[in-house]
């Protein structure tokens, strides 16, 4: 059971837009920056969003991030078949006075 | 160019201690703000953060695994070592070495390709 809650799967047609939610609490998302990772089949994850809404160089602006309260959202527009992957959100959790990084359970994106 | 490469035994037996080495290039763990973490992923399951070591030798561990983990660094060799004691078949996973930079990203911005560790009973 992950500390951050993501939907197991989402799907949309090529060219369409999809959003992936990540729900947490005040001990994690509510008070810490969220990052998002894309894991293509058989490969290591890749950072696609950091500091809630910033994109590393090389990540297309079709990918966007936002946060409100204790929830974060990843948006992908102009879907391509190459976007089919598993997406993870993550952030620090500061319960129990420590620093503990937590990931969501991951969301599989299918581009129909 | 930042690269990280994990190395370790592909197979360990239950109750043994796993030692993983991360050899990296393109940055230094003596540079303020640089950190290295270990993250694992059991087959078909989600990512799980294990530990982090910082440029100033601060160390952080997963709350659920901290009694079994030890992370250390050798800055002269650009290496980070993770030891995990009392291995169990449930620890079978891909283990990733990952750079975490406090600035600018505050995220895991470079990942190794991972090394698959299988624990036999």
């Amino acid at each position: 059971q992950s500390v951050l809650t993501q939907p197991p799967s989402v799907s949309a047609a090529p060219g369409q837009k999809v959003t992936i939610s990540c729900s947490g609490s005040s001990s994690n998302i509510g008070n810490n920056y969220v990052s998002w990772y894309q894991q293509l089949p058989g490969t290591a994850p890749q950072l696609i969003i950091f500091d809630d809404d910033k994109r590393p160089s090389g990540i297309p602006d079709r990918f966007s991030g936002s946060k409100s309260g204790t929830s974060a959202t990843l948006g992908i527009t102009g879907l391509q078949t190459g976007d089919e992957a598993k997406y993870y959100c993550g952030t620090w959790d500061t319960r129990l006075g420590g620093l503990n990084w937590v990931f969501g359970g991951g969301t599989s994106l299918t581009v129909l | 160019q930042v690269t990280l490469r994990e190395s370790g035994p592909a197979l360990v037996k239950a109750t043994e201690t796993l030692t993983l080495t991360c050899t990296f290039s393109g940055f230094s763990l003596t540079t303020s703000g640089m950190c290295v973490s270990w993250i694992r992923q059991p087959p078909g399951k989600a990512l799980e953060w294990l530990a982090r070591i910082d440029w100033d030798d601060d160390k952080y561990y997963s709350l659920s695994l901290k009694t079994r983990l030890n992370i250390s660094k050798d800055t002269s060799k650009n290496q980070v070592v993770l030891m995990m004691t009392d291995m169990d078949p449930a620890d079978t996973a891909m283990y990733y070495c990952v750079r975490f930079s406090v600035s600018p990203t505050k995220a895991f911005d470079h990942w190794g390709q991972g090394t698959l560790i299988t624990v036999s009973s």
Side-chain angles (χ1 to χ4, degrees):
Chain A
Q1 199 80 354
S2 301
V3 173
L4 305 180
T5 302
Q6 296 181 237
S9 62
V10 295
S11 62
Q16 296 301 303
K17 174 182 177 178
V18 72
T19 60
I20 297 173
S21 61
C22 177
S23 177
S25 69
S26 59
S27 66
N28 41 68
I29 292 178
N31 284 285
N32 294 286
Y33 285 114
V34 175
S35 48
W36 289 88
Y37 303 86
Q38 176 194 61
Q39 187 173 31
L40 297 168
T43 69
Q46 177 189 14
L47 176 67
I48 56 172
I49 295 289
F50 68 95
D51 284 4
D52 299 338
D53 58 8
K54 297 179 178 57
R55 283 175 288 107
S57 61
I59 300 301
D61 59 6
R62 300 187 298 107
F63 293 87
S64 64
S66 64
K67 189 174 83 174
S68 178
T70 58
S71 292
T73 302
L74 173 70
I76 311 172
T77 59
L79 277 172
Q80 303 172 0
T81 55
D83 296 332
E84 285 204 338
K86 198 137 187 180
Y87 293 85
Y88 294 91
C89 59
T91 186
W92 290 109
D93 188 293
T94 52
R95 281 176 294 176
L96 304 178
L99 266 186
N100 194 54
W101 184 275
V102 290
F103 286 104
T107 299
S108 292
L109 169 62
T110 301
V111 181
L112 302 168
Chain B
Q1 180 191 4
V2 174
T3 65
L4 304 102
R5 186 182 75 251
E6 306 86 352
S7 59
L11 182 66
V12 297
K13 296 179 181 178
T15 75
E16 289 185 340
T17 295
L18 170 68
T19 300
L20 292 171
T21 301
C22 173
T23 303
F24 57 87
S25 63
F27 70 99
S28 173
L29 255 183
T30 62
T31 300
S32 178
M34 290 295 134
C35 320
V36 170
S37 270
W38 287 92
I39 292 169
R40 71 178 180 180
Q41 185 174 36
K45 295 189 178 180
L47 301 169
E48 180 183 19
W49 175 78
L50 300 177
R52 170 181 133 179
I53 189 164
D54 295 357
W55 74 98
D56 57 2
D57 213 36
D58 277 350
K59 301 170 185 178
Y60 305 93
Y61 296 100
S62 162
L63 292 177
S64 60
L65 292 167
K66 64 184 305 181
T67 60
R68 299 174 53 203
L69 297 173
N70 185 69
I71 192 169
S72 61
K73 61 181 170 67
D74 184 333
T75 53
S76 66
K77 295 181 179 178
N78 279 352
Q79 289 183 333
V80 170
V81 174
L82 180 75
M83 296 180 65
M84 180 181 289
T85 61
D86 195 23
M87 293 294 284
D88 182 271
D91 296 313
T92 293
M94 185 73 81
Y95 286 75
Y96 295 102
C97 174
V98 193
R99 190 182 85 163
F100 182 96
S101 63
V102 172
S103 175
T105 65
K106 299 185 229 34
F108 299 108
D109 58 7
H110 288 85
W111 295 63
Q113 65 183 14
T115 185
L116 180 62
I117 304 298
T118 301
V119 184
S120 65
S121 54

